Amino acid sequence: QQPVQSPQAVILREGEDAVINCSSSKALYSVHWYRQKHGEAPVFLMILLKGGEQKGHEKISASFNEKKQQSSLYLTASQLSYSGTYFCGTERGSSNTGKLIFGQGTTLQVKP
Amino acid sequence: DAGVIQSPRHEVTEMGQEVTLRCKPISGHNSLFWYRQTMMRGLELLIYFNNNVPIDDSGMPEDRFSAKMPNASFSTLKIQPSEPRDSAVYFCASSFTSSGRLYEQYFGPGTRLTVT
């Protein structure tokens, strides 16, 4: 099964914050986050491995709670360039499989 | 580096015809992935290769789909015969994996396939 992302869509004003969640019913080894702009290919943001680590990429950070089998992506002080669809990709199991199952995506729109 | 290269970028074909999509991964990457993206089903993994060997093809919809990777710099995804429900954007992605660990995937620009 796909991981479940929430919310499905969010609209922000520039400078506002957002959180995107990704939940799985299966144990996860890693979570990968990608952003896709309309008409373009997905672009890598970050990877989190089991161990509860948190990572950051400019004003975008993420956490991974392996016990809850969920990850959250935090976008702070959003910019117009953050608009797009965010996907989490999960690597299931207790060890690496080399295979990602993507969620259905969360569409983020940042307005001036 | 030119990134992942896919061809053609757009393909319009009639039902029943054979379609071949091509991909050149980033040099040095040892894993290659074929994805299909539609509004209804999202981004689905069809098949992935590691060191030119197919590892998991459980996402291939049916026998009409086949994929090959004859060498480290080229892969094809073939649909024969094509059907209207195959209409989608097909992405190829490549990555470096070490000891099974999956690193970031680099996606190609995609091939938009329309089957009429």
Side-chain angles (χ1 to χ4, degrees), chain A residues 12-110:
Chain A
L12 298 174
R13 293 287 181 188
E14 267 188 297
E16 293 182 338
D17 302 340
V19 180
I20 299 172
N21 300 302
C22 174
S23 297
S24 173
S25 59
K26 305 284 187 183
L28 298 177
Y29 180 76
S30 69
V31 179
H32 302 225
W33 286 96
Y34 287 78
R35 177 171 62 204
Q36 184 179 29
K37 293 186 180 287
H38 183 68
E40 300 180 6
V43 173
F44 169 77
L45 291 176
M46 65 188 76
I47 297 173
L48 301 103
L49 300 177
K50 68 176 184 178
E53 64 175 357
Q54 187 154 353
K55 279 196 166 184
H57 173 73
E58 298 179 342
K59 293 182 180 177
I60 301 174
S61 62
S63 62
F64 176 26
N65 187 322
E66 65 195 76
K67 290 183 179 179
K68 292 186 177 181
Q69 297 159 188
Q70 61 185 219
S71 176
S72 295
L73 187 70
Y74 308 94
L75 300 101
T76 58
S78 58
Q79 306 168 11
L80 294 175
S81 62
Y82 287 2
S83 294
T85 301
Y86 290 78
F87 293 95
C88 67
T90 55
E91 195 178 15
R92 300 192 302 199
S94 57
S95 62
N96 47 34
T97 64
K99 169 181 172 179
L100 290 181
I101 308 297
F102 282 94
Q104 81 279 19
T106 294
T107 300
L108 175 72
Q109 184 180 2
V110 181

Side-chain angles (χ1 to χ4, degrees), chain A residues 30 32 34 44 46-47 49 55 91 96 98-100, chain B residues 29-31 33 35 94-107:
Chain A
S30 69
H32 302 225
Y34 287 78
F44 169 77
M46 65 188 76
I47 297 173
L49 300 177
K55 279 196 166 184
E91 195 178 15
N96 47 34
K99 169 181 172 179
L100 290 181
Chain B
H29 284 183
N30 58 359
S31 289
F33 308 82
Y35 291 94
S94 71
S95 175
F96 176 74
T97 56
S98 175
S99 300
R101 178 173 169 179
L102 179 61
Y103 291 86
E104 58 266 33
Q105 296 185 22
Y106 293 82
F107 283 74

